Amino acid sequence: MCRSIKTLRPPATPDVTEDDIRAAALQYVRKVSGFRAPAAHNREVFEQAVDAVRAATHDLLAGLHIRGRSGGNGNGGGGDGAGQPLGASGNSSSARTGK
């Protein structure tokens, strides 16, 4: 669908960050909406869509069970903020509220 969205599932990408997830969500919403940057009157709904896709992606990655890895997505680490690796213990509610 969108070539600039990279695979975030381990082991293809061993250290997925919140920034990686948001970038993929942003690319998806850009592709679907047809807007690289929305006009001011569409900005709020655009950002809400990015947040919703980011939360769904975070939940998906946190819930995947990868063969040969123990617990969640097997990344380990805290996953509590942007730039930090997303681990099995990552809190999906913080991914929904963080900007």
Side-chain angles (χ1 to χ4, degrees), residues 19-97:
D19 288 341
D20 293 330
I21 293 173
R22 186 173 197 299
L26 179 60
Q27 287 298 340
Y28 176 80
V29 172
R30 285 176 173 169
K31 184 69 165 186
V32 170
S33 70
F35 297 118
R36 185 182 184 315
H41 63 277
N42 286 326
R43 191 168 296 128
E44 183 177 349
V45 71
F46 188 92
E47 288 300 322
Q48 287 173 352
V50 171
D51 287 343
V53 172
R54 180 181 62 192
T57 302
H58 185 281
D59 291 347
L60 171 67
L61 293 174
L64 289 175
H65 295 280
I66 308 302
R67 289 185 187 176
R69 293 180 178 243
S70 61
N73 63 16
N75 277 344
D80 57 353
Q84 298 297 319
L86 177 67
S89 62
N91 183 345
S92 61
S93 62
S94 68
R96 290 187 188 114
T97 58

